[in-house]
Amino acid sequence: MLKGLDPILGPDLLAALRAMGHGDEIALVDANFPASSLAVPVIRLDGASTTRALDAVLSVMPLDEFVPEAAWRMEVVDHPDQELPIFAEFRNLITRHAGGHMRLAALERFAFYERTRQAFRVVATGENRLYGNILLKKGIIRPAGSEAS
């Protein structure tokens, strides 16, 4: 155990988050997502929901402030504008950890899969709600006392 860290941030996930650089992406996906077939290293969090994993990841990882979008959810197939309750939960967690200026963008299902193929890691959760998938782009941590650009 480490002080101040969410206990679901195990050694594999912490190592991946620490190894990621600015602009690298990580996918947090639900139990239905084809994580293992994407040829990206997978970290398993079977006992956690995607929202629980998102809360833990955002507690230590900043989102990229230099791009228009740094978080994406998967669109509902055949209903791209449909809002599911989990999307509101994603937005609330992003706002809580990264501020209200960060928005949750949407990607069509196969575009989401393709982008996930390029991700640094995939975190496969035990989320059983449909469309419980989110991609995050890592930002920077500014040195103490530095000004925003």
Side-chain angles (χ1 to χ4, degrees):
M1 282 294 241
L2 296 170
K3 291 168 122 182
L5 287 178
D6 190 308
I8 71 164
L9 295 173
D12 294 336
L13 183 50
L14 280 172
L17 293 170
R18 180 62 180 96
M20 289 173 67
H22 178 220
D24 282 341
E25 295 179 5
I26 189 166
L28 311 177
V29 300
D30 65 31
N32 288 304
F33 193 89
S36 294
S37 66
L38 295 179
V40 176
V42 175
I43 298 168
R44 302 220 50 104
L45 282 182
D46 296 304
S49 67
T50 304
T51 51
R52 176 83 169 83
L54 178 61
D55 191 28
V57 167
L58 291 180
S59 74
V60 297
M61 188 190 91
L63 292 177
D64 195 337
E65 301 170 4
F66 299 114
V67 293
E69 301 168 342
W72 301 267
R73 62 163 178 88
M74 184 187 292
E75 290 178 349
V76 176
V77 174
D78 295 329
H79 304 281
D81 297 325
Q82 184 176 354
E83 277 293 312
L84 299 178
I86 197 166
F87 302 158
E89 291 180 47
F90 288 164
R91 283 187 192 91
N92 289 339
L93 289 166
I94 290 166
T95 297
R96 187 171 78 195
H97 289 286
H101 63 284
M102 289 287 181
R103 75 180 207 81
L104 178 64
L107 290 172
E108 181 273 333
R109 175 183 168 206
F110 292 108
F112 191 97
Y113 287 169
E114 191 54 40
R115 190 149 189 169
T116 299
R117 274 188 182 83
Q118 306 304 315
F120 187 82
R121 293 287 185 280
V122 174
V123 179
T125 73
E127 180 64 66
N128 60 11
R129 291 175 286 179
L130 298 179
Y131 297 95
N133 308 300
I134 188 166
L135 271 160
L136 306 169
K137 183 180 285 286
K138 187 176 183 182
I140 62 168
I141 297 176
R142 298 179 190 284
S146 70
E147 297 294 318
S149 299

